[in-house]
Each structure stands twice: as structure tokens, then as C-alpha cells.
């Protein structure tokens, strides 16, 4: 019912630099506009000055930022992909430059951080197993964060106990 009669005047594609996507919609009853944003949870949190807690906004101080970062890491360590969901309300769009970075439009209070299972598709699981059976060492598992990549690799026996992998930029030079 919340979305009944809403007008969606603008949808933004995925921003590679900001790791997020957003949509602007008219609020029910014509009471202004709301820009919804979803994206990499660590990027959403890092660009926020407040968080939505218990129905209201609370300043995002160092302690709360640390708590959210710990929750994101805990989910990534369980091989979950984390997604942040945030919003910003606008009474009017008059004189508003919607192309400027979202954080310059007044911040984005995170509403939720969710962890989703992002399983390796069955045909890739079979390809990894077949490669390993043929004596080929599979070395690359991708994920949004290094802890998530490690968790995925451990779950598929691609990373030995105590093993590690360098993050993206240094790894790209190892050919």
C-alpha cells in the first residue's frame, strides 16, 4: 500500500566509484520526495552522518560506526554479501542539483544493513571441482570484500587453513 500512487521520476544506474544505485520517488500523498539508495554497506555507512535507529535518526558517532563496521565484517566472515539501504527525504526538488554526490545533499542515514547468501552457481562449483580433480589449482575467488572472499574460498576448499590472499591491487601484478 505504501507504494500505491507513487511517482518515480528518476532512476540512477550503478555507480562504480560509489558502489551504489538509487531511485527518486514521490512520497505518498504528495508530501515531497524520497531518494532510496542501496549499495555496498561499507560505502553507505562511510558517507553517513546519522543512522535510522528505533524509528528515528541518531548521529553516527565513532562508536556506532564501529558497531556497524563490526556487524558488516561478521556477515562478510560468514560469506554473506552485505548491502546497505538508506534514504534521504526532500520537501521539494526546486533548485536541487540531483547530480551532485548524495552526501552533499544532506547525508544518507542507513536504514538497514542486510547480509545475503551469494552462492557460487552450480555450474561454477562443478567447474572448480573438475579443475581441482585435474590437478589445476584454482586461485581466484571474488567478493565485494576481502573477508567475504576468504570465507567463500574456505567454504570451497580453495584457501588452506591459515592461508591468505592479497587484496586486489597487489594481486593484479602477480601474473
Amino acid at each position: 500500500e505504501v507504494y500505491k500512487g507513487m511517482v518515480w521520476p528518476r532512476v540512477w544506474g550503478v555507480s562504480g566509484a560509489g558502489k551504489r544505485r538509487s531511485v527518486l520517488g514521490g512520497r505518498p500523498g504528495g508530501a515531497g520526495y524520497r531518494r532510496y539508495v542501496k549499495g555496498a554497506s561499507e560505502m553507505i555507512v562511510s558517507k553517513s552522518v546519522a543512522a535510522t535507529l528505533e524509528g528515528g535518526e541518531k548521529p553516527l558517532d565513532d562508536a556506532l560506526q564501529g558497531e556497524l563496521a563490526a556487524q558488516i565484517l561478521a556477515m562478510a566472515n560468514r560469506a554473506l554479501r552485505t548491502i546497505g539501504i538508506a534514504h534521504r527525504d526532500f520537501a521539494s526538488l526546486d533548485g536541487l542539483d540531483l547530480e551532485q554526490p548524495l552526501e552533499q545533499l544532506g547525508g544518507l542515514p542507513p536504514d538497514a544493513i542486510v547480509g545475503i547468501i551469494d552462492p557460487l552457481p552450480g555450474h561454477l562449483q562443478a567447474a572448480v571441482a573438475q579443475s581441482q580433480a585435474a590437478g589445476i589449482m584454482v586461485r581466484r575467488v571474488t567478493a565485494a570484500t576481502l573477508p567475504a572472499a576468504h570465507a567463500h574460498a574456505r567454504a570451497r576448499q580453495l584457501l588452506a587453513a591459515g592461508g591468505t590472499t592479497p587484496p586486489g591491487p597487489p594481486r593484479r601484478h602477480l601474473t
Side-chain angles (χ1 to χ4, degrees):
E1 283 300 313
V2 172
Y3 301 105
K4 188 175 183 179
M6 286 185 81
V7 177
W8 300 99
R10 181 76 195 269
V11 176
W12 284 264
V14 175
S15 162
K19 294 176 143 183
R20 58 187 174 211
R21 181 182 182 117
S22 63
V23 62
L24 177 72
R27 295 188 64 205
Y33 298 87
R34 177 168 283 180
R35 187 162 178 182
Y36 294 94
V37 181
K38 71 101 181 161
S41 55
E42 66 278 4
M43 295 300 287
I44 297 289
V45 170
S46 74
K47 303 295 184 185
S48 300
V49 295
T52 305
L53 296 171
E54 299 172 7
E57 285 188 22
K58 180 179 178 185
L60 191 58
D61 58 16
D62 289 343
L64 183 52
Q65 188 136 11
E67 187 179 324
L68 293 174
Q71 290 296 322
I72 292 167
L73 181 60
M75 286 187 266
N77 283 333
R78 293 190 344 250
L80 297 175
R81 182 161 54 113
T82 60
I83 298 171
I85 303 166
H87 80 278
R88 180 45 95 233
D89 287 332
F90 302 98
S92 168
L93 299 181
D94 294 338
L96 197 59
D97 178 6
L98 294 173
E99 297 308 318
Q100 67 180 321
L102 290 171
E103 50 277 6
Q104 292 177 12
L105 297 175
L108 292 164
D111 297 316
I113 296 172
V114 297
I116 63 170
I117 296 171
D118 200 4
L120 193 62
H123 69 283
L124 292 180
Q125 289 178 354
V128 167
Q130 187 176 14
S131 297
Q132 289 173 326
I136 299 169
M137 183 181 293
V138 179
R139 295 180 179 256
R140 183 164 185 206
V141 172
T142 61
T145 64
L146 194 56
H150 284 172
H152 279 291
R154 280 191 300 276
R156 288 158 185 84
Q157 292 80 42
L158 301 177
L159 186 64
T164 188
T165 181
R171 187 181 61 238
R172 288 184 193 103
H173 297 340
L174 302 173
T175 53

